[in-house]
Every structure is written in C-alpha cells, then in structure tokens.
Amino acid sequence: MKIVLNTEYASQNGKNEIHLGELVPCFENHTRIDKIIETLQQNDWSHLEKPNDFGLAPILEIHESSYVNFLKTIWQEWLAEGNTNDILPYIWPIPGLKRNIAHNNLNAKIGSFAFSNGTPIMAGTWLSAYTGAQSALTAMSQVIAGEKSAFSLSRPPGHHAHAGFYGGYCFLNNIAIAAQFALKNGANKVAILDIDYHHGNGTQDIFYQRKDVLTLSLHGDPSTNFPYFTGKIDEIGEHDGEGYNKNYPLPDGTDFHLWHNTLEQACGEITNFGADYLLIALGVDTFEGDPISNFKLTTDDYLQVSKTINAIGLPTVFILEGGYSVGPIGKNVFNVLSEFMV
Ligand code: OKP
Ligand code: ZN
C-alpha cells in the first residue's frame, strides 16, 4: 500500500471549540497525525509519499466556486477588519431568518457558509484543507495506476463538508473529490463506505441524486449524535440516486459484535453494486476510549475490520476522518490498514 501524507496537516491549528457549553481545546488537532506517523515508524513504515498537485479543478467538480472562494479569502478579510482570533461562526440564516443574507457583513457571510460552530478557520486553514484534498487525489491516482490500496493520512477531515458549506471539523470533502476523480478517469462506479463514528452527511448529500456512487455510512444514531439532522435509515437517495444511499444508525453503546454484523451487511451491498473502486472514510472514533463518541470497539477489533474490508476484494483507498483518542489512534489506524500493508 502507498501512504500519502498531507504535508500541511499541522497548518490547521484551531484553538478552541465549544463542548457541553464550555470552551475547550480542539479535539481535532495535529497531535492525531503526529501519533499515527510515530506508530507507522515504530512498525517500520517510514516511507510516506508527498501529495502531487492536481490543482483546483477536481475540487470544483464537487464544491461550489463561491464556497471555494470564501475558503480562500475569508481569513484575509477577517484580518483586514482588525481581527486576530480564529474565526468561529455564530449566526446562521436558517429558515425564517433567510430573508436577507447579508454577504457584505463577515459574520453573516461566515454563517451562510457553515452549519456548525466547532470548526475554526485561521491563517493555515485553506492550505491545510487544499493539500488534504490533493493527498486524497494522490492516493486515488495511485490506485487508478494499479496499486491495490492507498491511504491518505490527512487532517482536517472531510466527510461532513457539503458542496457549499463547512462544519464538523471539515472544509473540503476529500473522499467525494477522490471518488469523482476516479469517475472522471475511467471508473464507471465507485462505492464509499463511511466507518467513522459520525454520519457522513456531506458525502451523502453530494451524491444523493446519483447512481454511479454508492454511499454507505455506519454511525451513531443521529437522534442522539452529531450531526443530528441527517443519517436516518429512511434517507435512501432520490431521483436517479434512489436506493444508492444507505444509512446504518447504531445505538449508543454499540459493541463490536453488532457493529461488525452491520459492517458485513454493508460489504454485501458493495459486492452487489459492482464498483470499480472502494473508498473508505476511515474514522477510528468508534474506539471505546474516544472522548466525543460512545461505541465500544477495541484496538484488536480493528484487525478484524481490516480482514472484512479486504475480503471485498476491490482496489481500496482509505481517507482519514475522525478519531480523537490520541494515545491509541496510531495503533487503531494501523490495525485497520494491516491486511493492506504489503
Ligand atoms: C467529525 B468527524 C463536541 C461535539 C461534536 C462535532 C463532531 C465532528 C466529528 N463539541 N462536534 O466525523 O470525526
Ligand atoms: Zn467522526
């Protein structure tokens, strides 16, 4: 397998988010990747590829240009108004307030491109997110070129990002960008399997009306978990995409037995679909010690996850999403990749 490192992974360096009514240090921080690199090195895996630059075009295949422009310019606009702290949205044009979307005011503009508040923007955000998308594209291109598997080792994550707005620590939907790139480069169908603890709302929405991308997500039941408003079982896709989105919400406290049975169901769907490539949104926030989630998977359980995904037998690209228990994150990720690390 090839492992591509987002060389700008530390440039996104937000200070705080609100957690249970309190300002706390961001859970999604660079120590996550530091730890994964350290574990890879300890296991004699020190060769990390650098991302190639595919430019903006593959990003604009997925994201609206007004949104990309916002991400590129908002920090300079914020500085120009004399601000120095991270940008955090605090007002949103939800139905009823939508009458006047005052794009000339920065707070109004920021809220109109965001859906949640825990996702700070600072000087390095665009470079970090852009290079992360390039890492995903590089991993995808390696697999298109014949590698059996590749891993994009990157933060910030991507699966919550929609075509036109950010949130849930995500700015660019890396896995959607990679999937679309595969379809533009010869694939007829691709499958996306999201095993992060949280529903991949951005990925679902981006491909909701399409039948060339099967989107599947196993996650904490949205009736009690972020992102709350999406991820239910009755969200099955629409128009051409009807039947090509499947959600597997699981109750709080889910253990490996239930989680793995559900994974096997999802794998069956992928096999029936007949994809050319499989893309995995790899979050290890399903781990029992995760500080913001509550499934019960153990470090050893991830070895079996690797076997089950490998048994599908498709060329596979892994894209890192969440996982906030930093101590064990390296081993947890390493174990998911273990069957592919040849
Ligand atoms: C991103 B990914 C803590 C509440 C949770 C957002 C969670 C985003 C998870 N303030 N906030 O899917 O791992
Ligand atoms: Zn997550």
mmCIF file of all heavy atoms in Angstrom, residues 257-306:
data_model
loop_
_atom_site.group_PDB
_atom_site.id
_atom_site.type_symbol
_atom_site.label_atom_id
_atom_site.label_comp_id
_atom_site.label_asym_id
_atom_site.label_seq_id
_atom_site.Cartn_x
_atom_site.Cartn_y
_atom_site.Cartn_z
ATOM 1 N N HIS A 257 -19.630 -6.681 18.235
ATOM 2 C CA HIS A 257 -20.458 -7.732 17.641
ATOM 3 C C HIS A 257 -21.523 -7.119 16.726
ATOM 4 O O HIS A 257 -21.636 -7.467 15.539
ATOM 5 C CB HIS A 257 -21.100 -8.580 18.744
ATOM 6 C CG HIS A 257 -21.933 -9.696 18.207
ATOM 7 N ND1 HIS A 257 -21.382 -10.840 17.667
ATOM 8 C CD2 HIS A 257 -23.280 -9.823 18.086
ATOM 9 C CE1 HIS A 257 -22.360 -11.630 17.241
ATOM 10 N NE2 HIS A 257 -23.515 -11.044 17.484
ATOM 11 N N LEU A 258 -22.307 -6.175 17.256
ATOM 12 C CA LEU A 258 -23.354 -5.517 16.459
ATOM 13 C C LEU A 258 -22.733 -4.683 15.331
ATOM 14 O O LEU A 258 -23.206 -4.695 14.193
ATOM 15 C CB LEU A 258 -24.218 -4.630 17.371
ATOM 16 C CG LEU A 258 -25.259 -3.757 16.656
ATOM 17 C CD1 LEU A 258 -26.247 -4.612 15.850
ATOM 18 C CD2 LEU A 258 -26.015 -2.889 17.677
ATOM 19 N N TRP A 259 -21.674 -3.962 15.660
ATOM 20 C CA TRP A 259 -21.046 -3.090 14.659
ATOM 21 C C TRP A 259 -20.525 -3.916 13.482
ATOM 22 O O TRP A 259 -20.731 -3.569 12.316
ATOM 23 C CB TRP A 259 -19.901 -2.290 15.308
ATOM 24 C CG TRP A 259 -19.387 -1.170 14.434
ATOM 25 C CD1 TRP A 259 -19.866 0.105 14.390
ATOM 26 C CD2 TRP A 259 -18.316 -1.239 13.492
ATOM 27 N NE1 TRP A 259 -19.144 0.842 13.464
ATOM 28 C CE2 TRP A 259 -18.190 0.045 12.904
ATOM 29 C CE3 TRP A 259 -17.441 -2.261 13.091
ATOM 30 C CZ2 TRP A 259 -17.238 0.339 11.938
ATOM 31 C CZ3 TRP A 259 -16.490 -1.968 12.118
ATOM 32 C CH2 TRP A 259 -16.391 -0.676 11.551
ATOM 33 N N HIS A 260 -19.877 -5.046 13.784
ATOM 34 C CA HIS A 260 -19.284 -5.855 12.718
ATOM 35 C C HIS A 260 -20.347 -6.576 11.888
ATOM 36 O O HIS A 260 -20.199 -6.713 10.669
ATOM 37 C CB HIS A 260 -18.262 -6.840 13.302
ATOM 38 C CG HIS A 260 -17.508 -7.575 12.241
ATOM 39 N ND1 HIS A 260 -17.808 -8.861 11.882
ATOM 40 C CD2 HIS A 260 -16.516 -7.160 11.417
ATOM 41 C CE1 HIS A 260 -16.997 -9.228 10.883
ATOM 42 N NE2 HIS A 260 -16.206 -8.219 10.587
ATOM 43 N N ASN A 261 -21.428 -7.028 12.530
ATOM 44 C CA ASN A 261 -22.539 -7.604 11.749
ATOM 45 C C ASN A 261 -23.068 -6.582 10.754
ATOM 46 O O ASN A 261 -23.396 -6.924 9.603
ATOM 47 C CB ASN A 261 -23.694 -8.014 12.673
ATOM 48 C CG ASN A 261 -23.438 -9.348 13.342
ATOM 49 O OD1 ASN A 261 -22.544 -10.101 12.937
ATOM 50 N ND2 ASN A 261 -24.201 -9.633 14.387
ATOM 51 N N THR A 262 -23.151 -5.340 11.196
ATOM 52 C CA THR A 262 -23.644 -4.265 10.331
ATOM 53 C C THR A 262 -22.643 -3.987 9.208
ATOM 54 O O THR A 262 -23.034 -3.784 8.052
ATOM 55 C CB THR A 262 -23.892 -2.996 11.177
ATOM 56 O OG1 THR A 262 -24.654 -3.364 12.328
ATOM 57 C CG2 THR A 262 -24.639 -1.953 10.386
ATOM 58 N N LEU A 263 -21.377 -4.006 9.551
ATOM 59 C CA LEU A 263 -20.337 -3.821 8.525
ATOM 60 C C LEU A 263 -20.466 -4.894 7.441
ATOM 61 O O LEU A 263 -20.366 -4.601 6.237
ATOM 62 C CB LEU A 263 -18.942 -3.894 9.165
ATOM 63 C CG LEU A 263 -17.767 -3.785 8.185
ATOM 64 C CD1 LEU A 263 -17.683 -2.378 7.590
ATOM 65 C CD2 LEU A 263 -16.437 -4.141 8.871
ATOM 66 N N GLU A 264 -20.730 -6.128 7.850
ATOM 67 C CA GLU A 264 -20.847 -7.213 6.863
ATOM 68 C C GLU A 264 -22.045 -7.007 5.937
ATOM 69 O O GLU A 264 -21.971 -7.310 4.745
ATOM 70 C CB GLU A 264 -20.900 -8.567 7.576
ATOM 71 C CG GLU A 264 -19.516 -8.940 8.100
ATOM 72 C CD GLU A 264 -19.407 -10.366 8.609
ATOM 73 O OE1 GLU A 264 -20.296 -10.758 9.388
ATOM 74 O OE2 GLU A 264 -18.445 -11.062 8.219
ATOM 75 N N GLN A 265 -23.138 -6.474 6.487
ATOM 76 C CA GLN A 265 -24.291 -6.130 5.630
ATOM 77 C C GLN A 265 -23.888 -5.106 4.579
ATOM 78 O O GLN A 265 -24.219 -5.235 3.396
ATOM 79 C CB GLN A 265 -25.401 -5.491 6.463
ATOM 80 C CG GLN A 265 -26.297 -6.437 7.217
ATOM 81 C CD GLN A 265 -27.362 -5.614 7.973
ATOM 82 O OE1 GLN A 265 -28.013 -4.740 7.400
ATOM 83 N NE2 GLN A 265 -27.509 -5.883 9.255
ATOM 84 N N ALA A 266 -23.181 -4.072 5.024
ATOM 85 C CA ALA A 266 -22.751 -3.013 4.110
ATOM 86 C C ALA A 266 -21.805 -3.574 3.045
ATOM 87 O O ALA A 266 -21.908 -3.223 1.860
ATOM 88 C CB ALA A 266 -22.087 -1.882 4.898
ATOM 89 N N CYS A 267 -20.937 -4.471 3.457
ATOM 90 C CA CYS A 267 -19.996 -5.073 2.496
ATOM 91 C C CYS A 267 -20.757 -5.871 1.434
ATOM 92 O O CYS A 267 -20.375 -5.870 0.253
ATOM 93 C CB CYS A 267 -18.991 -5.968 3.217
ATOM 94 S SG CYS A 267 -17.831 -5.019 4.230
ATOM 95 N N GLY A 268 -21.837 -6.529 1.845
ATOM 96 C CA GLY A 268 -22.678 -7.258 0.885
ATOM 97 C C GLY A 268 -23.261 -6.314 -0.164
ATOM 98 O O GLY A 268 -23.312 -6.647 -1.355
ATOM 99 N N GLU A 269 -23.690 -5.135 0.267
ATOM 100 C CA GLU A 269 -24.226 -4.137 -0.670
ATOM 101 C C GLU A 269 -23.167 -3.703 -1.684
ATOM 102 O O GLU A 269 -23.460 -3.494 -2.864
ATOM 103 C CB GLU A 269 -24.714 -2.888 0.087
ATOM 104 C CG GLU A 269 -25.869 -3.118 1.033
ATOM 105 C CD GLU A 269 -27.182 -3.402 0.312
ATOM 106 O OE1 GLU A 269 -27.331 -3.015 -0.865
ATOM 107 O OE2 GLU A 269 -28.053 -4.034 0.952
ATOM 108 N N ILE A 270 -21.951 -3.551 -1.197
ATOM 109 C CA ILE A 270 -20.859 -3.108 -2.075
ATOM 110 C C ILE A 270 -20.584 -4.175 -3.134
ATOM 111 O O ILE A 270 -20.429 -3.865 -4.315
ATOM 112 C CB ILE A 270 -19.592 -2.798 -1.243
ATOM 113 C CG1 ILE A 270 -19.841 -1.563 -0.362
ATOM 114 C CG2 ILE A 270 -18.379 -2.584 -2.151
ATOM 115 C CD1 ILE A 270 -18.829 -1.366 0.734
ATOM 116 N N THR A 271 -20.564 -5.417 -2.711
ATOM 117 C CA THR A 271 -20.333 -6.511 -3.652
ATOM 118 C C THR A 271 -21.431 -6.554 -4.718
ATOM 119 O O THR A 271 -21.149 -6.673 -5.918
ATOM 120 C CB THR A 271 -20.242 -7.848 -2.889
ATOM 121 O OG1 THR A 271 -19.177 -7.737 -1.945
ATOM 122 C CG2 THR A 271 -19.989 -9.008 -3.826
ATOM 123 N N ASN A 272 -22.677 -6.417 -4.302
ATOM 124 C CA ASN A 272 -23.791 -6.432 -5.265
ATOM 125 C C ASN A 272 -23.744 -5.261 -6.241
ATOM 126 O O ASN A 272 -24.180 -5.380 -7.378
ATOM 127 C CB ASN A 272 -25.134 -6.385 -4.521
ATOM 128 C CG ASN A 272 -25.391 -7.659 -3.747
ATOM 129 O OD1 ASN A 272 -24.804 -8.705 -4.034
ATOM 130 N ND2 ASN A 272 -26.244 -7.567 -2.735
ATOM 131 N N PHE A 273 -23.245 -4.130 -5.769
ATOM 132 C CA PHE A 273 -23.221 -2.901 -6.572
ATOM 133 C C PHE A 273 -22.269 -3.008 -7.752
ATOM 134 O O PHE A 273 -22.516 -2.460 -8.832
ATOM 135 C CB PHE A 273 -22.831 -1.732 -5.656
ATOM 136 C CG PHE A 273 -22.708 -0.396 -6.328
ATOM 137 C CD1 PHE A 273 -23.807 0.216 -6.916
ATOM 138 C CD2 PHE A 273 -21.479 0.271 -6.351
ATOM 139 C CE1 PHE A 273 -23.682 1.473 -7.518
ATOM 140 C CE2 PHE A 273 -21.352 1.516 -6.945
ATOM 141 C CZ PHE A 273 -22.458 2.119 -7.533
ATOM 142 N N GLY A 274 -21.173 -3.735 -7.578
ATOM 143 C CA GLY A 274 -20.225 -3.896 -8.679
ATOM 144 C C GLY A 274 -19.349 -2.689 -8.957
ATOM 145 O O GLY A 274 -19.161 -2.277 -10.102
ATOM 146 N N ALA A 275 -18.796 -2.119 -7.881
ATOM 147 C CA ALA A 275 -17.932 -0.940 -8.033
ATOM 148 C C ALA A 275 -16.572 -1.305 -8.616
ATOM 149 O O ALA A 275 -16.099 -2.432 -8.473
ATOM 150 C CB ALA A 275 -17.740 -0.280 -6.666
ATOM 151 N N ASP A 276 -15.953 -0.307 -9.265
ATOM 152 C CA ASP A 276 -14.566 -0.460 -9.724
ATOM 153 C C ASP A 276 -13.586 -0.222 -8.575
ATOM 154 O O ASP A 276 -12.529 -0.838 -8.520
ATOM 155 C CB ASP A 276 -14.264 0.538 -10.844
ATOM 156 C CG ASP A 276 -15.178 0.323 -12.034
ATOM 157 O OD1 ASP A 276 -15.130 -0.780 -12.602
ATOM 158 O OD2 ASP A 276 -15.948 1.241 -12.359
ATOM 159 N N TYR A 277 -13.956 0.747 -7.705
ATOM 160 C CA TYR A 277 -13.085 1.094 -6.575
ATOM 161 C C TYR A 277 -13.925 1.242 -5.313
ATOM 162 O O TYR A 277 -15.096 1.619 -5.378
ATOM 163 C CB TYR A 277 -12.361 2.427 -6.808
ATOM 164 C CG TYR A 277 -11.501 2.430 -8.037
ATOM 165 C CD1 TYR A 277 -11.845 3.229 -9.138
ATOM 166 C CD2 TYR A 277 -10.344 1.653 -8.117
ATOM 167 C CE1 TYR A 277 -11.057 3.241 -10.284
ATOM 168 C CE2 TYR A 277 -9.547 1.663 -9.262
ATOM 169 C CZ TYR A 277 -9.916 2.455 -10.332
ATOM 170 O OH TYR A 277 -9.141 2.459 -11.461
ATOM 171 N N LEU A 278 -13.245 0.976 -4.199
ATOM 172 C CA LEU A 278 -13.854 1.197 -2.888
ATOM 173 C C LEU A 278 -13.094 2.311 -2.171
ATOM 174 O O LEU A 278 -11.856 2.304 -2.143
ATOM 175 C CB LEU A 278 -13.771 -0.103 -2.065
ATOM 176 C CG LEU A 278 -14.210 -0.030 -0.599
ATOM 177 C CD1 LEU A 278 -15.665 0.411 -0.465
ATOM 178 C CD2 LEU A 278 -13.994 -1.395 0.074
ATOM 179 N N LEU A 279 -13.825 3.265 -1.643
ATOM 180 C CA LEU A 279 -13.213 4.336 -0.842
ATOM 181 C C LEU A 279 -13.754 4.241 0.579
ATOM 182 O O LEU A 279 -14.975 4.176 0.777
ATOM 183 C CB LEU A 279 -13.531 5.714 -1.432
ATOM 184 C CG LEU A 279 -12.822 6.065 -2.745
ATOM 185 C CD1 LEU A 279 -13.542 5.463 -3.935
ATOM 186 C CD2 LEU A 279 -12.701 7.571 -2.900
ATOM 187 N N ILE A 280 -12.842 4.240 1.536
ATOM 188 C CA ILE A 280 -13.236 4.101 2.939
ATOM 189 C C ILE A 280 -13.008 5.418 3.676
ATOM 190 O O ILE A 280 -11.873 5.919 3.719
ATOM 191 C CB ILE A 280 -12.400 3.009 3.659
ATOM 192 C CG1 ILE A 280 -12.479 1.656 2.932
ATOM 193 C CG2 ILE A 280 -12.829 2.894 5.133
ATOM 194 C CD1 ILE A 280 -13.762 0.901 3.121
ATOM 195 N N ALA A 281 -14.084 5.976 4.237
ATOM 196 C CA ALA A 281 -13.949 7.119 5.139
ATOM 197 C C ALA A 281 -13.584 6.537 6.501
ATOM 198 O O ALA A 281 -14.436 6.006 7.221
ATOM 199 C CB ALA A 281 -15.239 7.921 5.201
ATOM 200 N N LEU A 282 -12.277 6.599 6.799
ATOM 201 C CA LEU A 282 -11.729 5.883 7.948
ATOM 202 C C LEU A 282 -11.661 6.771 9.180
ATOM 203 O O LEU A 282 -10.731 7.554 9.352
ATOM 204 C CB LEU A 282 -10.329 5.342 7.579
ATOM 205 C CG LEU A 282 -9.521 4.734 8.730
ATOM 206 C CD1 LEU A 282 -10.303 3.659 9.453
ATOM 207 C CD2 LEU A 282 -8.204 4.189 8.208
ATOM 208 N N GLY A 283 -12.655 6.628 10.035
ATOM 209 C CA GLY A 283 -12.608 7.254 11.353
ATOM 210 C C GLY A 283 -12.453 6.159 12.376
ATOM 211 O O GLY A 283 -13.073 5.098 12.250
ATOM 212 N N VAL A 284 -11.612 6.397 13.368
ATOM 213 C CA VAL A 284 -11.497 5.434 14.471
ATOM 214 C C VAL A 284 -12.066 6.027 15.766
ATOM 215 O O VAL A 284 -11.661 5.647 16.860
ATOM 216 C CB VAL A 284 -10.046 4.914 14.649
ATOM 217 C CG1 VAL A 284 -9.656 4.016 13.487
ATOM 218 C CG2 VAL A 284 -9.053 6.055 14.818
ATOM 219 N N ASP A 285 -13.041 6.922 15.591
ATOM 220 C CA ASP A 285 -13.751 7.431 16.769
ATOM 221 C C ASP A 285 -14.821 6.447 17.255
ATOM 222 O O ASP A 285 -15.546 6.731 18.216
ATOM 223 C CB ASP A 285 -14.331 8.843 16.541
ATOM 224 C CG ASP A 285 -14.873 9.081 15.161
ATOM 225 O OD1 ASP A 285 -15.002 8.105 14.382
ATOM 226 O OD2 ASP A 285 -15.200 10.243 14.837
ATOM 227 N N THR A 286 -14.886 5.267 16.620
ATOM 228 C CA THR A 286 -15.691 4.154 17.135
ATOM 229 C C THR A 286 -14.982 3.442 18.294
ATOM 230 O O THR A 286 -15.559 2.550 18.925
ATOM 231 C CB THR A 286 -15.944 3.125 16.018
ATOM 232 O OG1 THR A 286 -14.677 2.834 15.386
ATOM 233 C CG2 THR A 286 -16.914 3.671 14.978
ATOM 234 N N PHE A 287 -13.748 3.847 18.562
ATOM 235 C CA PHE A 287 -12.930 3.253 19.643
ATOM 236 C C PHE A 287 -13.566 3.496 21.019
ATOM 237 O O PHE A 287 -14.099 4.575 21.274
ATOM 238 C CB PHE A 287 -11.535 3.879 19.580
ATOM 239 C CG PHE A 287 -10.593 3.419 20.638
ATOM 240 C CD1 PHE A 287 -10.242 2.074 20.749
ATOM 241 C CD2 PHE A 287 -10.045 4.331 21.532
ATOM 242 C CE1 PHE A 287 -9.358 1.648 21.733
ATOM 243 C CE2 PHE A 287 -9.158 3.912 22.524
ATOM 244 C CZ PHE A 287 -8.816 2.574 22.621
ATOM 245 N N GLU A 288 -13.444 2.505 21.884
ATOM 246 C CA GLU A 288 -14.085 2.580 23.210
ATOM 247 C C GLU A 288 -13.636 3.790 24.041
ATOM 248 O O GLU A 288 -14.387 4.276 24.881
ATOM 249 C CB GLU A 288 -13.832 1.291 24.002
ATOM 250 C CG GLU A 288 -12.345 0.993 24.202
ATOM 251 C CD GLU A 288 -12.088 -0.315 24.956
ATOM 252 O OE1 GLU A 288 -13.025 -0.960 25.429
ATOM 253 O OE2 GLU A 288 -10.888 -0.676 25.046
ATOM 254 N N GLY A 289 -12.416 4.269 23.807
ATOM 255 C CA GLY A 289 -11.914 5.386 24.615
ATOM 256 C C GLY A 289 -12.096 6.744 23.977
ATOM 257 O O GLY A 289 -11.546 7.735 24.465
ATOM 258 N N ASP A 290 -12.860 6.835 22.898
ATOM 259 C CA ASP A 290 -12.975 8.133 22.224
ATOM 260 C C ASP A 290 -13.683 9.152 23.116
ATOM 261 O O ASP A 290 -14.730 8.845 23.697
ATOM 262 C CB ASP A 290 -13.713 7.984 20.887
ATOM 263 C CG ASP A 290 -13.505 9.202 20.013
ATOM 264 O OD1 ASP A 290 -12.511 9.220 19.260
ATOM 265 O OD2 ASP A 290 -14.306 10.152 20.115
ATOM 266 N N PRO A 291 -13.129 10.373 23.202
ATOM 267 C CA PRO A 291 -13.711 11.349 24.130
ATOM 268 C C PRO A 291 -15.035 11.974 23.689
ATOM 269 O O PRO A 291 -15.727 12.563 24.520
ATOM 270 C CB PRO A 291 -12.623 12.428 24.233
ATOM 271 C CG PRO A 291 -11.872 12.334 22.954
ATOM 272 C CD PRO A 291 -11.892 10.874 22.580
ATOM 273 N N ILE A 292 -15.392 11.878 22.395
ATOM 274 C CA ILE A 292 -16.652 12.514 21.986
ATOM 275 C C ILE A 292 -17.650 11.512 21.402
ATOM 276 O O ILE A 292 -18.649 11.909 20.812
ATOM 277 C CB ILE A 292 -16.421 13.682 20.981
ATOM 278 C CG1 ILE A 292 -15.787 13.206 19.671
ATOM 279 C CG2 ILE A 292 -15.588 14.785 21.613
ATOM 280 C CD1 ILE A 292 -15.814 14.267 18.562
ATOM 281 N N SER A 293 -17.366 10.218 21.518
ATOM 282 C CA SER A 293 -18.235 9.192 20.926
ATOM 283 C C SER A 293 -18.480 8.104 21.961
ATOM 284 O O SER A 293 -17.849 8.109 23.012
ATOM 285 C CB SER A 293 -17.549 8.596 19.687
ATOM 286 O OG SER A 293 -17.054 9.618 18.854
ATOM 287 N N ASN A 294 -19.354 7.131 21.636
ATOM 288 C CA ASN A 294 -19.594 6.116 22.671
ATOM 289 C C ASN A 294 -19.824 4.695 22.174
ATOM 290 O O ASN A 294 -20.553 3.931 22.798
ATOM 291 C CB ASN A 294 -20.722 6.562 23.609
ATOM 292 C CG ASN A 294 -21.992 6.815 22.842
ATOM 293 O OD1 ASN A 294 -22.345 6.028 21.957
ATOM 294 N ND2 ASN A 294 -22.682 7.895 23.128
ATOM 295 N N PHE A 295 -19.185 4.322 21.063
ATOM 296 C CA PHE A 295 -19.161 2.906 20.699
ATOM 297 C C PHE A 295 -18.052 2.216 21.505
ATOM 298 O O PHE A 295 -17.289 2.868 22.217
ATOM 299 C CB PHE A 295 -18.914 2.723 19.198
ATOM 300 C CG PHE A 295 -20.119 3.041 18.331
ATOM 301 C CD1 PHE A 295 -20.005 3.015 16.941
ATOM 302 C CD2 PHE A 295 -21.356 3.366 18.890
ATOM 303 C CE1 PHE A 295 -21.103 3.299 16.134
ATOM 304 C CE2 PHE A 295 -22.460 3.648 18.084
ATOM 305 C CZ PHE A 295 -22.322 3.611 16.697
ATOM 306 N N LYS A 296 -17.978 0.882 21.339
ATOM 307 C CA LYS A 296 -17.121 0.106 22.249
ATOM 308 C C LYS A 296 -16.056 -0.720 21.529
ATOM 309 O O LYS A 296 -15.639 -1.763 22.021
ATOM 310 C CB LYS A 296 -18.011 -0.843 23.082
ATOM 311 C CG LYS A 296 -19.024 -0.126 24.009
ATOM 312 C CD LYS A 296 -18.371 0.312 25.293
ATOM 313 C CE LYS A 296 -19.297 1.076 26.226
ATOM 314 N NZ LYS A 296 -19.490 2.481 25.812
ATOM 315 N N LEU A 297 -15.606 -0.281 20.352
ATOM 316 C CA LEU A 297 -14.602 -1.078 19.646
ATOM 317 C C LEU A 297 -13.246 -0.992 20.343
ATOM 318 O O LEU A 297 -12.887 0.054 20.897
ATOM 319 C CB LEU A 297 -14.472 -0.621 18.179
ATOM 320 C CG LEU A 297 -15.506 -1.232 17.215
ATOM 321 C CD1 LEU A 297 -16.924 -0.823 17.539
ATOM 322 C CD2 LEU A 297 -15.163 -0.882 15.779
ATOM 323 N N THR A 298 -12.509 -2.109 20.298
ATOM 324 C CA THR A 298 -11.178 -2.148 20.911
ATOM 325 C C THR A 298 -10.107 -2.110 19.814
ATOM 326 O O THR A 298 -10.395 -2.330 18.627
ATOM 327 C CB THR A 298 -10.991 -3.435 21.723
ATOM 328 O OG1 THR A 298 -11.012 -4.551 20.811
ATOM 329 C CG2 THR A 298 -12.101 -3.619 22.755
ATOM 330 N N THR A 299 -8.887 -1.880 20.244
ATOM 331 C CA THR A 299 -7.761 -1.829 19.290
ATOM 332 C C THR A 299 -7.667 -3.134 18.498
ATOM 333 O O THR A 299 -7.482 -3.111 17.274
ATOM 334 C CB THR A 299 -6.464 -1.519 20.072
ATOM 335 O OG1 THR A 299 -6.612 -0.226 20.657
ATOM 336 C CG2 THR A 299 -5.254 -1.535 19.161
ATOM 337 N N ASP A 300 -7.826 -4.273 19.149
ATOM 338 C CA ASP A 300 -7.756 -5.562 18.447
ATOM 339 C C ASP A 300 -8.905 -5.748 17.462
ATOM 340 O O ASP A 300 -8.743 -6.400 16.427
ATOM 341 C CB ASP A 300 -7.758 -6.722 19.453
ATOM 342 C CG ASP A 300 -6.385 -6.936 20.061
ATOM 343 O OD1 ASP A 300 -5.413 -6.286 19.600
ATOM 344 O OD2 ASP A 300 -6.277 -7.750 21.006
ATOM 345 N N ASP A 301 -10.077 -5.195 17.780
ATOM 346 C CA ASP A 301 -11.223 -5.334 16.859
ATOM 347 C C ASP A 301 -10.891 -4.788 15.469
ATOM 348 O O ASP A 301 -11.400 -5.284 14.461
ATOM 349 C CB ASP A 301 -12.443 -4.577 17.408
ATOM 350 C CG ASP A 301 -13.057 -5.246 18.636
ATOM 351 O OD1 ASP A 301 -12.874 -6.468 18.807
ATOM 352 O OD2 ASP A 301 -13.719 -4.531 19.415
ATOM 353 N N TYR A 302 -10.048 -3.763 15.413
ATOM 354 C CA TYR A 302 -9.734 -3.154 14.109
ATOM 355 C C TYR A 302 -8.955 -4.096 13.193
ATOM 356 O O TYR A 302 -8.947 -3.913 11.981
ATOM 357 C CB TYR A 302 -8.999 -1.821 14.302
ATOM 358 C CG TYR A 302 -9.889 -0.754 14.907
ATOM 359 C CD1 TYR A 302 -9.658 -0.268 16.191
ATOM 360 C CD2 TYR A 302 -10.978 -0.243 14.209
ATOM 361 C CE1 TYR A 302 -10.479 0.699 16.759
ATOM 362 C CE2 TYR A 302 -11.811 0.718 14.767
ATOM 363 C CZ TYR A 302 -11.559 1.189 16.047
ATOM 364 O OH TYR A 302 -12.378 2.139 16.598
ATOM 365 N N LEU A 303 -8.334 -5.140 13.764
ATOM 366 C CA LEU A 303 -7.676 -6.151 12.919
ATOM 367 C C LEU A 303 -8.715 -6.910 12.101
ATOM 368 O O LEU A 303 -8.522 -7.202 10.914
ATOM 369 C CB LEU A 303 -6.880 -7.126 13.792
ATOM 370 C CG LEU A 303 -5.663 -6.549 14.517
ATOM 371 C CD1 LEU A 303 -5.172 -7.518 15.589
ATOM 372 C CD2 LEU A 303 -4.544 -6.235 13.515
ATOM 373 N N GLN A 304 -9.838 -7.217 12.743
ATOM 374 C CA GLN A 304 -10.928 -7.911 12.037
ATOM 375 C C GLN A 304 -11.580 -6.996 11.008
ATOM 376 O O GLN A 304 -11.976 -7.451 9.924
ATOM 377 C CB GLN A 304 -11.962 -8.421 13.043
ATOM 378 C CG GLN A 304 -13.141 -9.150 12.419
ATOM 379 C CD GLN A 304 -12.722 -10.385 11.620
ATOM 380 O OE1 GLN A 304 -11.938 -11.209 12.101
ATOM 381 N NE2 GLN A 304 -13.202 -10.499 10.378
ATOM 382 N N VAL A 305 -11.684 -5.701 11.315
ATOM 383 C CA VAL A 305 -12.239 -4.743 10.350
ATOM 384 C C VAL A 305 -11.418 -4.789 9.062
ATOM 385 O O VAL A 305 -11.951 -4.800 7.950
ATOM 386 C CB VAL A 305 -12.236 -3.309 10.948
ATOM 387 C CG1 VAL A 305 -12.701 -2.284 9.915
ATOM 388 C CG2 VAL A 305 -13.108 -3.244 12.197
ATOM 389 N N SER A 306 -10.114 -4.849 9.230
ATOM 390 C CA SER A 306 -9.214 -4.906 8.073
ATOM 391 C C SER A 306 -9.486 -6.152 7.227
ATOM 392 O O SER A 306 -9.567 -6.084 5.995
ATOM 393 C CB SER A 306 -7.764 -4.903 8.557
ATOM 394 O OG SER A 306 -6.896 -4.681 7.480
#
